[in-house]
Amino acid sequence: MSITLPTNIPSGDRRTIRVVGIEPAPVVYVDRDGDEWHPTDETTPDGEPVLACPAPQNPDDQGEGRSHPWTLRAVQAWFGPLTTRSAVSS
């Protein structure tokens, strides 16, 4: 009998263990005015994620087209400070 390969384990206790990864919940950034910034599927050429604010509180802030990539750094600089929360809790 080898200590590294036990043979006295009952067959009923031999179970296959499958590790399942859980993806983290998406993050929503909230600016100082209470507007929510959601990550998009886009990134800049440098790899920085692009954010979008689909429903700003001020309707005049609603943009059209993609004239400016709102990166996390840009949103922080213009609308910060930002707080984060889970998109699941929204």
XYZ file of all heavy atoms in Angstrom:
689
model
N 0.837 -1.174 0.000
C 0.000 0.000 0.000
C 0.883 1.239 0.000
O 1.811 1.344 0.765
C -0.905 -0.020 1.221
C -1.755 1.181 1.338
S -2.839 0.888 2.743
C -3.828 2.273 2.677
N 0.560 2.169 -0.881
C 1.336 3.404 -0.989
C 0.578 4.536 -0.318
O -0.647 4.664 -0.464
C 1.580 3.740 -2.458
O 2.090 5.039 -2.569
N 1.291 5.372 0.394
C 0.640 6.503 1.051
C 0.181 7.547 0.029
O -0.742 8.310 0.263
C 1.575 7.119 2.109
C 0.766 8.024 3.041
C 2.694 7.902 1.462
C 1.489 8.396 4.300
N 0.851 7.623 -1.138
C 0.469 8.596 -2.161
C -0.668 8.101 -3.038
O -1.282 8.886 -3.748
C 1.668 8.950 -3.052
O 2.145 7.756 -3.672
C 2.774 9.608 -2.250
N -0.942 6.802 -3.003
C -2.018 6.239 -3.806
C -2.847 5.301 -2.940
O -2.675 4.082 -2.972
C -1.441 5.487 -5.008
C -2.449 4.916 -5.996
C -3.281 6.026 -6.621
C -1.724 4.149 -7.068
N -3.734 5.879 -2.117
C -4.486 5.013 -1.211
C -5.458 4.121 -1.991
O -6.043 4.535 -2.972
C -5.241 6.001 -0.318
C -5.284 7.269 -1.082
C -4.073 7.268 -1.979
N -5.573 2.909 -1.513
C -6.468 1.958 -2.181
C -7.648 1.575 -1.310
O -8.484 0.791 -1.719
C -5.693 0.681 -2.538
O -5.109 0.148 -1.350
C -4.624 0.969 -3.571
N -7.698 2.137 -0.112
C -8.780 1.759 0.803
C -9.921 2.773 0.824
O -10.705 2.791 1.746
C -8.226 1.551 2.211
C -7.601 2.813 2.761
O -7.383 3.772 2.028
N -7.282 2.801 4.050
N -10.058 3.610 -0.219
C -11.152 4.562 -0.290
C -12.360 3.845 -0.871
O -12.273 3.242 -1.938
C -10.779 5.767 -1.182
C -9.575 6.493 -0.601
C -11.951 6.718 -1.333
C -9.047 7.602 -1.470
N -13.503 3.906 -0.177
C -14.688 3.261 -0.728
C -15.071 3.893 -2.074
O -14.924 5.091 -2.270
C -15.769 3.532 0.322
C -15.034 3.907 1.559
C -13.736 4.488 1.128
N -15.555 3.088 -2.977
C -15.844 3.578 -4.320
C -16.950 4.622 -4.334
O -17.015 5.447 -5.228
C -16.208 2.413 -5.241
O -17.391 1.799 -4.775
N -17.824 4.619 -3.342
C -18.892 5.602 -3.290
C -18.375 7.016 -3.016
O -19.061 7.988 -3.277
N -17.183 7.142 -2.474
C -16.637 8.452 -2.142
C -15.762 9.018 -3.247
O -15.235 10.114 -3.115
C -15.816 8.374 -0.851
C -16.706 8.247 0.377
O -17.927 8.427 0.228
O -16.178 7.984 1.459
N -15.597 8.297 -4.312
C -14.783 8.809 -5.424
C -15.677 9.666 -6.301
O -16.553 9.168 -7.008
C -14.173 7.670 -6.219
C -13.167 6.915 -5.423
C -12.510 5.860 -6.256
N -11.603 5.099 -5.401
C -11.047 3.975 -5.745
N -11.299 3.456 -6.928
N -10.230 3.358 -4.936
N -15.471 10.933 -6.235
C -16.294 11.859 -6.989
C -15.418 12.700 -7.906
O -14.299 13.028 -7.567
C -17.036 12.794 -6.048
C -17.958 12.066 -5.114
C -18.706 13.039 -4.243
N -19.531 12.295 -3.309
C -19.533 12.482 -2.007
N -18.767 13.390 -1.475
N -20.298 11.753 -1.246
N -15.988 13.012 -9.024
C -15.302 13.930 -9.921
C -15.623 15.344 -9.469
O -16.778 15.710 -9.302
C -15.787 13.738 -11.370
O -15.540 12.382 -11.741
C -15.080 14.693 -12.307
N -14.591 16.131 -9.262
C -14.771 17.515 -8.848
C -14.525 18.394 -10.054
O -13.489 18.307 -10.700
C -13.804 17.885 -7.709
C -14.100 17.002 -6.492
C -13.934 19.360 -7.362
C -13.117 17.179 -5.373
N -15.509 19.205 -10.360
C -15.394 20.099 -11.500
C -15.337 21.532 -10.972
O -16.218 21.973 -10.249
C -16.571 19.924 -12.440
C -16.448 20.729 -13.703
C -17.508 20.371 -14.693
N -18.838 20.381 -14.090
C -19.940 20.611 -14.756
N -19.902 20.809 -16.048
N -21.098 20.609 -14.155
N -14.304 22.242 -11.352
C -14.153 23.627 -10.933
C -14.861 24.504 -11.951
O -14.616 24.423 -13.139
C -12.662 24.014 -10.838
C -12.514 25.470 -10.458
C -11.949 23.115 -9.844
N -15.767 25.332 -11.459
C -16.535 26.217 -12.320
C -16.157 27.649 -11.971
O -16.261 28.062 -10.825
C -18.051 26.009 -12.111
C -18.854 26.972 -12.972
C -18.427 24.572 -12.401
N -15.702 28.378 -12.980
C -15.343 29.768 -12.752
C -16.579 30.658 -12.793
O -17.486 30.452 -13.585
N -16.603 31.621 -11.921
C -17.697 32.578 -11.892
C -17.151 33.912 -12.361
O -16.192 34.429 -11.805
C -18.282 32.709 -10.476
C -18.825 31.361 -10.018
C -19.354 33.782 -10.426
C -19.302 31.346 -8.591
N -17.771 34.441 -13.401
C -17.324 35.729 -13.917
C -17.728 36.829 -12.950
O -18.814 36.788 -12.377
C -17.939 36.000 -15.283
C -17.414 35.090 -16.357
C -17.910 35.509 -17.728
O -18.154 36.715 -17.924
O -18.040 34.630 -18.576
N -16.855 37.807 -12.768
C -17.235 38.905 -11.879
C -18.390 39.704 -12.473
O -18.538 39.796 -13.688
C -15.970 39.759 -11.798
C -15.155 39.379 -12.987
C -15.542 37.980 -13.342
N -19.192 40.249 -11.603
C -20.324 41.054 -12.060
C -19.811 42.313 -12.741
O -18.809 42.887 -12.329
C -21.207 41.425 -10.872
N -20.478 42.744 -13.803
C -20.041 43.968 -14.467
C -20.133 45.159 -13.517
O -20.987 45.210 -12.647
C -21.011 44.126 -15.632
C -21.933 42.984 -15.590
C -21.630 42.150 -14.403
N -19.239 46.105 -13.716
C -19.166 47.283 -12.863
C -19.824 48.456 -13.569
O -19.687 48.634 -14.769
C -17.695 47.610 -12.544
C -17.577 48.924 -11.806
C -17.063 46.493 -11.740
N -20.544 49.255 -12.796
C -21.107 50.509 -13.280
C -20.400 51.618 -12.520
O -20.222 51.542 -11.308
C -22.629 50.565 -13.021
C -23.187 51.938 -13.345
C -23.340 49.505 -13.822
N -19.968 52.632 -13.243
C -19.333 53.789 -12.620
C -20.385 54.890 -12.498
O -21.117 55.167 -13.443
C -18.159 54.280 -13.466
C -17.081 53.245 -13.612
C -17.044 52.405 -14.717
C -16.110 53.092 -12.633
C -16.062 51.442 -14.846
C -15.126 52.124 -12.755
C -15.107 51.302 -13.864
O -14.131 50.348 -13.992
N -20.461 55.514 -11.340
C -21.420 56.592 -11.095
C -20.630 57.873 -10.878
O -19.747 57.925 -10.018
C -22.304 56.279 -9.872
C -23.331 57.380 -9.645
C -22.994 54.934 -10.036
N -20.939 58.910 -11.682
C -20.193 60.164 -11.568
C -20.808 61.071 -10.497
O -21.781 60.713 -9.841
C -20.073 60.870 -12.921
C -21.387 61.381 -13.479
O -22.367 61.514 -12.717
O -21.437 61.667 -14.691
N -20.223 62.243 -10.330
C -20.645 63.153 -9.250
C -22.080 63.649 -9.419
O -22.715 64.065 -8.458
C -19.686 64.331 -9.147
C -19.711 65.237 -10.348
C -18.810 66.464 -10.153
N -18.751 67.216 -11.390
C -17.693 67.316 -12.160
N -16.578 66.722 -11.810
N -17.738 68.004 -13.276
N -22.617 63.607 -10.648
C -23.996 64.027 -10.898
C -24.992 62.877 -10.795
O -26.188 63.081 -10.978
C -24.109 64.668 -12.286
C -23.277 65.931 -12.405
O -23.138 66.655 -11.382
O -22.768 66.208 -13.507
N -24.508 61.677 -10.552
C -25.378 60.507 -10.448
C -25.594 59.777 -11.767
O -26.359 58.826 -11.827
N -24.924 60.225 -12.845
C -25.037 59.524 -14.134
C -24.263 58.215 -14.084
O -23.202 58.128 -13.474
C -24.510 60.395 -15.272
C -25.423 61.567 -15.581
O -26.629 61.460 -15.322
O -24.920 62.583 -16.096
N -24.798 57.211 -14.731
C -24.182 55.882 -14.745
C -23.404 55.680 -16.037
O -23.931 55.901 -17.133
C -25.243 54.795 -14.623
C -25.970 54.827 -13.306
C -27.013 53.735 -13.199
O -27.272 53.043 -14.202
O -27.563 53.577 -12.106
N -22.165 55.235 -15.906
C -21.282 54.941 -17.038
C -21.064 53.437 -17.080
O -20.585 52.846 -16.124
C -19.961 55.679 -16.873
C -20.106 57.158 -16.994
C -20.461 58.028 -16.010
C -19.908 57.931 -18.169
N -20.498 59.295 -16.507
C -20.161 59.272 -17.824
C -19.546 57.631 -19.479
C -20.054 60.308 -18.739
C -19.435 58.661 -20.388
C -19.689 59.982 -20.024
N -21.418 52.837 -18.209
C -21.307 51.392 -18.386
C -20.157 51.072 -19.337
O -20.019 51.730 -20.369
C -22.606 50.820 -18.975
C -23.798 51.074 -18.120
N -24.258 50.160 -17.217
C -24.623 52.162 -18.016
C -25.319 50.648 -16.602
N -25.553 51.868 -17.069
N -19.354 50.045 -19.026
C -18.321 49.623 -19.974
C -18.968 49.092 -21.260
O -19.993 48.419 -21.215
C -17.582 48.507 -19.247
C -17.945 48.663 -17.809
C -19.296 49.305 -17.777
N -18.377 49.425 -22.389
C -18.831 48.883 -23.667
C -17.910 47.728 -24.042
O -16.992 47.400 -23.306
C -18.781 49.960 -24.774
O -17.417 50.333 -24.982
C -19.595 51.178 -24.393
N -18.139 47.117 -25.173
C -17.267 46.042 -25.645
C -16.068 46.584 -26.402
O -15.275 45.813 -26.924
C -18.053 45.083 -26.542
C -19.101 44.308 -25.766
O -18.919 44.133 -24.547
O -20.106 43.893 -26.364
N -15.941 47.890 -26.473
C -14.863 48.514 -27.243
C -13.691 48.895 -26.346
O -13.867 49.118 -25.144
C -15.381 49.761 -27.952
C -16.491 49.485 -28.930
C -17.025 50.763 -29.548
O -16.216 51.682 -29.787
O -18.228 50.834 -29.786
N -12.530 48.980 -26.951
C -11.336 49.475 -26.283
C -10.605 50.418 -27.222
O -10.808 50.380 -28.435
C -10.375 48.340 -25.874
O -9.996 47.614 -27.037
C -11.010 47.398 -24.862
N -9.755 51.253 -26.643
C -8.918 52.133 -27.455
C -7.766 51.303 -28.012
O -7.543 50.169 -27.584
C -8.357 53.283 -26.605
O -7.510 52.741 -25.596
C -9.472 54.111 -25.981
N -6.995 51.840 -28.965
C -5.836 51.100 -29.463
C -4.835 50.744 -28.356
O -4.095 49.779 -28.473
C -5.218 52.050 -30.480
C -6.369 52.881 -30.962
C -7.256 53.051 -29.768
N -4.844 51.532 -27.266
C -3.962 51.243 -26.132
C -4.528 50.178 -25.206
O -3.880 49.790 -24.245
C -3.706 52.512 -25.318
C -2.973 53.572 -26.118
O -2.296 53.207 -27.108
O -3.075 54.757 -25.763
N -5.765 49.744 -25.460
C -6.373 48.709 -24.642
C -7.224 49.235 -23.498
O -7.718 48.465 -22.679
N -7.416 50.556 -23.420
C -8.233 51.107 -22.349
C -9.710 50.943 -22.694
O -10.125 51.229 -23.814
C -7.900 52.589 -22.142
C -8.526 53.155 -20.898
C -8.051 54.566 -20.579
O -7.282 55.150 -21.356
O -8.495 55.076 -19.552
N -10.521 50.483 -21.740
C -11.943 50.286 -22.030
C -12.660 51.598 -22.283
O -12.334 52.627 -21.706
C -12.476 49.600 -20.778
C -11.445 49.731 -19.737
C -10.162 50.086 -20.384
N -13.659 51.538 -23.157
C -14.480 52.696 -23.490
C -15.793 52.574 -22.721
O -16.397 51.503 -22.662
C -14.740 52.776 -25.014
C -15.685 53.914 -25.347
C -13.426 52.928 -25.759
N -16.229 53.686 -22.114
C -17.462 53.716 -21.342
C -18.549 54.466 -22.108
O -18.250 55.247 -23.015
C -17.232 54.419 -20.003
C -16.140 53.860 -19.102
C -16.024 54.702 -17.838
C -16.400 52.416 -18.756
N -19.785 54.230 -21.728
C -20.919 54.934 -22.328
C -21.890 55.306 -21.220
O -22.057 54.569 -20.248
C -21.622 54.059 -23.350
N -22.524 56.457 -21.389
C -23.562 56.912 -20.467
C -24.857 56.960 -21.270
O -25.179 57.975 -21.892
C -23.205 58.282 -19.897
S -24.406 58.884 -18.699
N -25.606 55.866 -21.292
C -26.765 55.782 -22.168
C -27.930 56.690 -21.775
O -28.738 57.049 -22.625
C -27.179 54.317 -22.087
C -26.585 53.810 -20.829
C -25.375 54.637 -20.548
N -28.028 57.080 -20.511
C -29.167 57.895 -20.084
C -28.716 58.971 -19.101
O -28.960 58.861 -17.898
C -30.232 57.004 -19.455
N -28.059 60.037 -19.593
C -27.648 61.098 -18.675
C -28.856 61.841 -18.117
O -29.912 61.900 -18.752
C -26.784 62.015 -19.546
C -27.206 61.740 -20.938
C -27.672 60.319 -20.968
N -28.692 62.406 -16.925
C -29.792 63.137 -16.299
C -30.172 64.374 -17.097
O -31.339 64.730 -17.168
C -29.416 63.517 -14.875
C -29.298 62.321 -13.970
C -28.959 62.703 -12.547
O -29.128 63.845 -12.135
N -28.491 61.738 -11.784
N -29.186 65.028 -17.693
C -29.446 66.199 -18.525
C -29.581 65.733 -19.973
O -28.604 65.281 -20.571
C -28.306 67.203 -18.382
C -28.534 68.470 -19.182
O -29.489 68.581 -19.933
N -27.633 69.421 -19.016
N -30.745 65.831 -20.587
C -30.930 65.342 -21.958
C -30.014 66.032 -22.981
O -29.702 65.461 -24.011
C -32.391 65.643 -22.270
C -33.045 65.905 -20.972
C -31.986 66.349 -20.011
N -29.557 67.251 -22.664
C -28.648 67.943 -23.574
C -27.271 67.278 -23.644
O -26.503 67.517 -24.567
C -28.474 69.406 -23.155
C -29.754 70.199 -23.330
O -30.598 69.786 -24.159
O -29.915 71.222 -22.635
N -26.966 66.452 -22.637
C -25.685 65.740 -22.628
C -25.707 64.494 -23.494
O -24.684 63.852 -23.685
C -25.297 65.349 -21.203
C -24.927 66.547 -20.357
O -24.619 67.604 -20.934
O -24.938 66.419 -19.116
N -26.874 64.111 -23.978
C -26.979 62.912 -24.822
C -26.241 63.170 -26.124
O -26.579 64.060 -26.874
C -28.452 62.586 -25.114
C -28.659 61.325 -25.906
C -28.401 60.084 -25.076
O -28.733 60.040 -23.904
N -27.822 59.086 -25.672
N -25.216 62.393 -26.370
C -24.418 62.567 -27.579
C -24.969 61.772 -28.739
O -25.810 60.900 -28.580
N -24.477 62.101 -29.907
C -24.844 61.349 -31.102
C -23.559 60.893 -31.778
O -22.624 61.655 -31.913
C -25.647 62.227 -32.055
C -26.990 62.631 -31.489
C -27.823 63.401 -32.485
O -27.613 63.217 -33.695
O -28.677 64.172 -32.055
N -23.553 59.671 -32.203
C -22.382 59.145 -32.892
C -21.263 58.787 -31.934
O -21.445 58.701 -30.736
N -20.081 58.587 -32.512
C -18.919 58.174 -31.717
C -17.771 59.137 -31.938
O -16.689 58.749 -32.339
C -18.501 56.772 -32.104
C -19.557 55.763 -31.784
C -19.107 54.404 -32.175
N -20.176 53.456 -31.865
C -20.087 52.190 -32.057
N -19.014 51.684 -32.570
N -21.084 51.399 -31.757
N -18.006 60.390 -31.671
C -16.977 61.394 -31.935
C -15.851 61.350 -30.916
O -14.742 61.781 -31.209
C -17.599 62.788 -31.951
O -18.204 63.058 -30.702
N -16.121 60.859 -29.724
C -15.108 60.860 -28.672
C -15.197 59.570 -27.875
O -16.251 59.256 -27.328
C -15.320 62.058 -27.736
C -14.323 62.131 -26.634
N -13.044 62.582 -26.834
C -14.408 61.793 -25.336
C -12.391 62.536 -25.681
N -13.201 62.059 -24.759
N -14.096 58.814 -27.761
C -14.137 57.611 -26.924
C -14.007 58.003 -25.452
O -12.980 58.512 -25.028
C -12.930 56.801 -27.403
C -11.978 57.812 -27.932
C -12.818 58.942 -28.461
N -15.051 57.821 -24.697
C -15.008 58.143 -23.282
C -14.341 56.996 -22.531
O -14.972 56.009 -22.194
C -16.414 58.394 -22.743
C -16.944 59.720 -23.130
C -17.876 59.979 -24.086
C -16.557 60.985 -22.598
N -18.089 61.327 -24.174
C -17.300 61.969 -23.270
C -15.653 61.389 -21.622
C -17.167 63.333 -22.987
C -15.524 62.736 -21.346
C -16.276 63.687 -22.023
N -13.059 57.160 -22.273
C -12.312 56.160 -21.513
C -12.522 56.412 -20.028
O -13.014 57.467 -19.616
C -10.814 56.230 -21.838
O -10.329 57.512 -21.443
C -10.561 55.989 -23.319
N -12.149 55.447 -19.230
C -12.294 55.590 -17.786
C -11.519 56.810 -17.290
O -12.009 57.571 -16.462
C -11.830 54.320 -17.078
C -11.937 54.314 -15.562
C -13.361 54.585 -15.107
C -11.440 53.003 -15.001
N -10.309 57.011 -17.811
C -9.520 58.174 -17.402
C -10.209 59.481 -17.783
O -10.218 60.438 -17.009
C -8.124 58.130 -18.019
C -7.171 57.263 -17.243
C -5.799 57.401 -17.810
N -5.786 56.724 -19.118
C -4.725 56.540 -19.845
N -3.564 57.003 -19.451
N -4.797 55.899 -20.987
N -10.785 59.552 -18.983
C -11.457 60.768 -19.424
C -12.707 61.050 -18.591
O -12.962 62.191 -18.205
C -11.827 60.670 -20.903
N -13.475 60.016 -18.298
C -14.681 60.188 -17.479
C -14.296 60.643 -16.077
O -14.920 61.539 -15.502
C -15.510 58.887 -17.442
C -16.650 58.979 -16.447
C -16.041 58.555 -18.824
N -13.239 60.058 -15.532
C -12.770 60.439 -14.196
C -12.338 61.904 -14.185
O -12.667 62.652 -13.268
C -11.598 59.541 -13.767
C -11.024 59.879 -12.406
C -11.941 59.519 -11.256
O -12.630 58.507 -11.310
N -11.964 60.325 -10.235
N -11.636 62.329 -15.222
C -11.146 63.706 -15.286
C -12.283 64.718 -15.455
O -12.257 65.781 -14.844
C -10.140 63.846 -16.429
N -13.269 64.389 -16.272
C -14.344 65.342 -16.571
C -15.494 65.286 -15.571
O -16.115 66.309 -15.277
C -14.900 65.080 -17.967
C -14.033 65.623 -19.053
C -12.935 65.027 -19.589
C -14.185 66.874 -19.711
N -12.394 65.829 -20.560
C -13.148 66.973 -20.661
C -15.099 67.909 -19.620
C -12.998 68.062 -21.494
C -14.957 69.008 -20.452
C -13.906 69.079 -21.373
N -15.828 64.103 -15.097
C -17.037 63.937 -14.297
C -16.797 63.357 -12.908
O -17.737 63.067 -12.198
C -18.037 63.038 -15.039
C -18.359 63.514 -16.423
C -17.817 62.870 -17.533
C -19.182 64.593 -16.618
C -18.114 63.303 -18.811
C -19.490 65.041 -17.897
C -18.943 64.396 -18.995
N -15.529 63.163 -12.534
C -15.184 62.540 -11.264
C -15.473 63.443 -10.084
O -15.788 64.618 -10.254
N -15.394 62.902 -8.922
C -14.935 61.555 -8.619
C -16.011 60.508 -8.952
O -17.198 60.789 -8.889
C -14.673 61.588 -7.120
C -15.584 62.654 -6.603
C -15.706 63.665 -7.707
N -15.537 59.332 -9.303
C -16.432 58.228 -9.649
C -16.528 57.251 -8.489
O -15.555 57.034 -7.770
C -15.921 57.477 -10.879
C -15.801 58.262 -12.173
C -15.230 57.362 -13.267
C -17.127 58.837 -12.601
N -17.696 56.677 -8.330
C -17.863 55.557 -7.419
C -18.254 54.351 -8.269
O -18.690 54.505 -9.412
C -18.956 55.833 -6.361
O -20.184 56.120 -7.018
C -18.575 56.999 -5.473
N -18.088 53.176 -7.736
C -18.420 51.964 -8.487
C -19.492 51.185 -7.734
O -19.622 51.279 -6.515
C -17.194 51.060 -8.673
O -16.673 50.712 -7.405
C -16.130 51.740 -9.488
N -20.237 50.451 -8.506
C -21.186 49.494 -7.941
C -21.402 48.406 -8.977
O -21.081 48.557 -10.141
C -22.494 50.142 -7.524
C -23.302 50.717 -8.628
C -24.607 51.292 -8.069
N -25.370 51.937 -9.094
C -26.077 51.303 -10.019
N -26.125 50.000 -10.033
N -26.737 51.964 -10.948
N -21.973 47.322 -8.538
C -22.231 46.202 -9.423
C -23.425 46.498 -10.304
O -24.425 47.053 -9.860
C -22.492 44.943 -8.604
O -22.954 43.905 -9.420
N -23.321 46.149 -11.578
C -24.445 46.340 -12.493
C -25.609 45.428 -12.151
O -26.738 45.683 -12.522
C -23.997 46.094 -13.930
N -25.340 44.368 -11.406
C -26.393 43.433 -11.026
C -27.339 44.073 -10.021
O -28.533 43.828 -10.028
C -25.774 42.154 -10.440
C -26.827 41.203 -9.925
C -24.900 41.465 -11.476
N -26.817 44.966 -9.176
C -27.648 45.569 -8.150
C -28.450 46.760 -8.655
O -29.202 47.361 -7.916
C -26.772 46.025 -6.966
O -25.891 47.055 -7.386
N -28.299 47.132 -9.932
C -29.005 48.318 -10.425
C -30.433 48.090 -10.731
O -31.069 47.254 -10.947
C -28.326 48.880 -11.665
O -28.188 47.913 -12.655
